[in-house]
Amino acid sequence: MPLVPMKQVLDEARKGRYGVGAYNVNNMEQIQALMQGAAETRTPIILQASRGALKYSNMVYLKHLILAAVEENPDLPIICHLDHGPDLETCKQAIALGFTSVMIDASLDYSVTKKDGSHPPREFEDNVRLTTQVCNYAHKRGVSVEGELGTLGGIEGKTKASEVLLTDPEQVEEFVRRTGVDALAIAIGTSHGAYKFKRSPKLALKLISRIRRRVPETALVMHGSSSVPQFLVKQINRYGGKLKKAMGVPMSQIKKAIKLGIQKVNIDTDGRLAFTAAIRKHLAQNPGVFDQRAYLGAGRTAIYKVMKKKMIDMGTAGHAGDYEPMTLAQAKKKWYR
Ligand code: G3H
Ligand code: 13P
Ligand code: ZN
């Protein structure tokens, strides 16, 4: 089975009311761990690469690692997706590499970097213009597109609320109609990284149903969905790490979000935590070890365990064989002519 278009997999998820994990990958161990989990649970899977991941892996290495996952798992629907594409050029590069889906994150202006490293929000009209350009380019090639409305960030107490723009449901219908996006990332109060919340998370879950009603056929995406498992934070700190107290989004909230209308669930941080915790422990307990396969292997096993559980919890497990996956040419003919 070749890599499949994201739209098809998310359409199936919407009909079946389950969430599909979109897991950030940078190296072989992550990909192998995720594919072991997906194969054992018969799970359709989105492997996504950020601009940073493409740079780290010099693009072509990551491409071939993902193609290796496809070759090893011919009976699983696998999507290769660009995460947070900052501009048309990067989306074009990903499509040229063979990605079957791209995200254009035009909610932020990545060409401007503020002193604290963040990027300012883009105006609605500018977001529509850039997202439409990417849709036009990608859809001609059968490639799915994810856009974003609103910006990520916590809505808890003292977080930088002034910089957080939850998605405005009033804008959603117009955005989807004018751009033609297949999937829409919405801001409901989550943020990237390990330090999302100081206490129990406060998410604007009701927004999901309000948005879902306005765009009933568009896939909705939740970024910043790591749960930051406390046993991993403790393990990292026990073996020499210095992570601050932090909380993520509990699986119970993710399940609610899926029930309310989310189909794509973005996860990166939990994989990083699992990998780091296992490697720290392995090296601390085996000070004589210097074969990287020993500690990278331990990291790989840790990612596999954490992610396999998510595949089961999000309801994706068992859905790999529900449909006949499409090629990009078929997707183009069916949806984008
Ligand atoms: O959305 C952000 C992801 O966690 C990717 O992070 O840019 O460090 O690869 P990265
Ligand atoms: P986390 O940092 O919560 O894993 O979110 C990842 C993400 O949204 C990637 O786009
Ligand atoms: Zn994200």
Side-chain angles (χ1 to χ4, degrees), residues 16-133:
R17 297 175 76 88
Y18 57 87
V20 183
Y23 305 94
N24 286 75
V25 293
N26 301 272
N27 63 25
M28 182 184 79
E29 284 75 12
Q30 285 177 299
I31 294 173
Q32 288 179 325
L34 287 160
M35 293 318 303
Q36 188 184 345
E40 286 177 9
T41 56
R42 307 284 308 134
T43 293
I45 185 164
I46 302 168
L47 299 176
Q48 59 183 13
S50 67
R51 184 167 53 158
L54 291 178
K55 196 166 163 212
Y56 176 76
S57 64
N58 204 5
M59 290 199 202
V60 73
Y61 287 88
L62 199 55
K63 166 189 165 166
H64 285 284
L65 287 171
I66 292 174
L67 291 179
V70 173
E71 190 176 325
E72 197 192 31
N73 299 276
D75 54 345
L76 289 185
I78 305 173
I79 291 132
C80 182
H81 174 75
L82 172 69
D83 188 30
H84 293 283
D87 48 38
L88 177 61
E89 230 14 75
T90 311
C91 293
K92 282 184 178 177
Q93 274 178 346
I95 292 168
L97 271 182
F99 282 41
T100 53
S101 178
V102 292
M103 174 185 190
I104 173 68
D105 180 358
S107 65
L108 296 179
D109 185 351
Y110 285 92
S111 64
V112 181
T113 305
K114 295 202 275 185
K115 270 189 194 149
D116 65 357
S118 65
H119 309 284
R122 257 209 187 85
E123 293 299 326
F124 180 79
E125 282 302 323
D126 293 340
N127 187 346
V128 168
R129 195 172 314 119
L130 180 48
T131 305
T132 306
Q133 278 177 357

Side-chain angles (χ1 to χ4, degrees), residues 10 14 172 182-186 207-209 211-213 215 218-222 260-265:
L10 296 184
R14 188 164 44 77
V172 164
D182 306 288
L184 181 68
I186 56 171
L207 256 189
I208 301 172
S209 348
I211 293 169
R212 170 51 66 229
R213 278 199 293 277
V215 284
T218 305
L220 298 180
V221 185
M222 180 170 162
L260 294 169
I262 292 288
Q263 280 76 46
K264 177 172 179 270
V265 181

Side-chain angles (χ1 to χ4, degrees), residues 293-304:
R293 290 169 297 191
Y295 55 85
L296 293 180
R300 179 172 62 188
T301 303
I303 297 179
Y304 152 72

Side-chain angles (χ1 to χ4, degrees), residues 298-320:
R300 179 172 62 188
T301 303
I303 297 179
Y304 152 72
K305 286 185 184 159
V306 168
M307 299 308 174
K308 180 177 174 181
K309 181 154 187 349
K310 287 184 194 290
M311 292 168 194
I312 296 166
D313 288 346
M314 292 194 292
T316 341
H319 286 289

